[in-house]
Amino acid sequence: MQIRKVSLLLALGAASLGTSVAAEDGSGPKNVILMVGDGMGFAQVESAGLYHHGKADGQPYWQFQPLAATTYSSSGKGFDYVRKDPTDSAAAATTLSTGVKTLNKRIGQDADGKPLRHLYQDAEAMGKSTGVLSTVYLSHATPAAFTTFAKSRNDVEELALDMITNSSLDLLIGAGHPWFDDDGKQVGGLGDKPYKTEGSYDRIGGEDLWRAIQAGEAGGDADGDGKADPWQLIDDLTGFEALAKGEGASGRVLGVLPVASTLQANRAGDKKAGPYEVPATPNLPGMALLMDGALNVLSQDPDGFFLMAEGGAIDWAGHANAFGRLIEEQHDFDLAIEAVVAWVEAHSSWDDTLLIITADHETGYLCGPGSDPELKPLEGHGKGATPGFQWNTGSHTNQVVPVFAKGKGAEKLLDAVKGTDSRRGPYIDNTDIPKTIRAVWR
């Protein structure tokens, strides 16, 4: 059974900080699911749409309420201005989790280094279950920025240690397994010295914490009853498949994917190959399977839940200008969205659940061939054919990013519209997403 929250103390703490709690009339959404495609600009979405559906807006979620979002306050014109001083994932994810702009590298802190209040803490104050899921290692910038507090995203061991030992999350899933490499090959946990590994313990919080996780002894007091609530470790495909079937979970779930950094984007082979030309690493789940498992765990709480789920390697493919792998990662994220929609329609309803899909920033300045000085669209060559494309950087940009929303309270995002982008239509700011979630939770 899912751990129930001791919500009274948490609610009192929330009230003292001026944060919202659930409306007494139950008018807010019971469940909030925020899906973040790291590095996912409009062109990234369109690339997978063209390849898999034959049209740029082929994914079903284009039928949701579509908007754009700014990821930092910027002004300027011309082809180059969006490449100047872009946000990083730590700052942008902190903003999406807290509603406050901050400096690059900051995790859950404002520009002065003061800790901010995360959305998951608001959900905890309402007695809801909470989870964070990522397809990259669990102490990476985005999952960390939705969970913990630090001056720098680079302190990955400390971030993981705090996330696992001090957070009150009910579910935490990500890569970073110390006994596997980027191809899912086991390099530790073998023989009579299982803790000797060619991998690294940094991303899981250090060897001592990993030993405690293995022993079922890691995890602080998550429900406020004064007793430790240890994590149940799941770290193989069989375990994740059982979770997706609604089996094998009896408490807090810590899912450590059996791969070093991310599911497929860093696997061996030609990084510039076309989509799916390099065989996928076997024995690893897709994001859709992870979402099924997470929803099964969190929905056991009758008070509802908050889940942030990140498709983290869309960004990694963008940094590498690896267009084939970008399409693979975007499609994996798209399938995860479809899994959420299927779950809502089978086990919940759009009157109970709010789903918001967005990005922290765009990566790669992806557009159509021949762009500069004019920004041109991707060239579709038919379903199953690689679109015509052009990368313009290996870094982040300040282009507006997509927002798709459906369910209870989605229309409230329209109240935050700041203006109209000439290419992408009405836009809000990224701060408006957590502010809207908090508003509809009142």
Side-chain angles (χ1 to χ4, degrees):
M1 285 292 293
Q2 184 66 23
I3 295 170
R4 291 294 307 279
K5 306 296 175 191
V6 179
S7 58
L8 178 59
L9 290 175
L10 291 171
L12 289 172
S16 70
L17 292 172
T19 57
S20 63
V21 294
E24 291 184 4
D25 62 3
S27 59
K30 178 180 176 182
N31 313 308
V32 172
I33 303 166
L34 177 58
M35 299 188 69
V36 179
D38 196 314
M40 184 186 75
F42 278 94
Q44 281 77 0
V45 174
E46 291 166 349
S47 68
L50 288 167
Y51 185 88
H52 283 281
H53 303 279
K55 55 181 182 177
D57 59 352
Q59 295 95 328
Y61 54 78
W62 282 97
Q63 303 305 312
F64 293 4
Q65 175 181 286
L67 290 167
T70 51
T71 57
Y72 97 129
S73 180
S74 167
S75 62
K77 295 182 179 180
F79 192 76
D80 284 327
Y81 90 92
V82 298
R83 290 189 276 207
K84 296 177 181 178
D85 301 320
T87 186
D88 77 341
S89 294
T94 293
T95 298
L96 289 172
S97 182
T98 69
V100 178
K101 300 276 191 182
T102 190
L103 303 176
N104 285 355
K105 295 188 178 181
R106 289 288 168 87
I107 298 287
Q109 294 182 350
D110 68 12
D112 296 322
K114 296 178 182 178
L116 300 166
R117 187 171 179 86
H118 292 297
L119 284 173
Y120 103 86
Q121 293 174 293
D122 291 344
E124 297 273 348
M126 295 178 233
K128 298 180 183 293
S129 294
T130 54
V132 167
L133 180 158
S134 179
T135 61
V136 300
Y137 59 89
L138 56 83
S139 53
H140 201 257
T142 300
F146 272 85
T147 311
T148 188
F149 315 91
K151 184 177 181 179
S152 175
R153 60 181 289 176
N154 297 331
D155 300 327
V156 294
E157 183 170 336
E158 291 77 9
L159 292 172
L161 183 66
D162 194 53
M163 293 168 74
I164 293 168
T165 61
N166 294 327
S167 80
S168 53
L169 291 170
D170 298 291
L171 176 132
L172 178 60
I173 295 176
H177 203 300
W179 290 351
F180 289 82
D181 67 12
D182 274 332
D183 290 310
K185 176 185 175 183
Q186 191 164 356
V187 296
L190 302 166
D192 58 354
K193 294 183 179 180
Y195 290 96
K196 183 178 180 181
T197 179
E198 297 173 19
S200 171
Y201 287 102
D202 291 354
R203 294 170 176 176
I204 199 65
E207 183 180 336
D208 288 345
L209 180 58
W210 181 245
R211 287 175 180 264
I213 292 168
Q214 290 278 315
E217 297 172 352
D221 178 14
D223 59 6
D225 65 356
K227 299 178 182 179
D229 300 302
W231 293 98
Q232 175 187 348
L233 175 65
I234 295 175
D235 67 345
D236 60 23
L237 179 60
T238 300
F240 288 110
E241 288 174 337
L243 207 65
K245 296 175 183 176
E247 304 168 355
S250 58
R252 303 175 77 197
V253 171
L254 176 62
V256 183
L257 303 168
V259 68
S261 61
T262 187
L263 289 172
Q264 297 291 343
N266 270 12
R267 71 188 188 276
D270 182 4
K271 299 293 196 296
K272 303 298 184 180
Y276 310 104
E277 290 180 3
V278 177
T281 303
N283 300 317
L284 290 175
M287 188 177 177
L289 185 77
L290 300 178
M291 291 299 291
D292 285 338
L295 294 169
N296 281 335
V297 172
L298 297 177
S299 63
Q300 294 179 47
D301 192 326
D303 296 314
F305 63 84
F306 170 76
L307 172 63
M308 189 291 294
E310 180 201 25
I314 299 169
D315 173 70
W316 296 30
H319 281 297
N321 286 180
F323 191 61
R325 297 203 178 186
L326 177 278
I327 289 175
E328 295 172 8
E329 293 298 322
Q330 182 65 55
H331 185 57
D332 188 54
F333 187 66
D334 291 348
L335 293 177
I337 295 170
E338 292 181 21
V340 172
V341 172
W343 178 86
V344 172
E345 295 179 351
H347 302 290
S348 179
S349 74
W350 294 112
D351 289 330
D352 277 344
T353 300
L354 171 61
L355 169 62
I356 299 176
I357 305 154
T358 192
D360 49 0
H361 53 73
E362 191 272 348
T363 302
Y365 205 167
L366 180 63
C367 55
S371 294
D372 190 5
E374 180 185 357
L375 190 64
K376 296 183 178 180
L378 298 170
E379 293 179 352
H381 296 151
K383 185 176 180 180
T386 301
F389 66 94
Q390 176 180 312
W391 296 105
N392 294 285
T393 183
S395 301
H396 302 171
T397 73
N398 291 304
Q399 293 187 83
V400 293
V401 297
V403 181
F404 302 98
K406 183 178 177 70
K408 186 71 171 182
E411 73 283 353
K412 294 295 184 182
L413 286 168
L414 298 173
D415 296 339
V417 168
K418 302 289 191 295
T420 301
D421 181 81
S422 60
R423 296 185 68 242
R424 302 303 184 181
Y427 67 85
I428 60 175
D429 187 63
N430 57 359
T431 56
D432 296 316
I433 293 172
K435 288 176 181 177
T436 298
I437 291 171
R438 284 174 166 149
V440 300
W441 263 345
R442 284 197 176 95

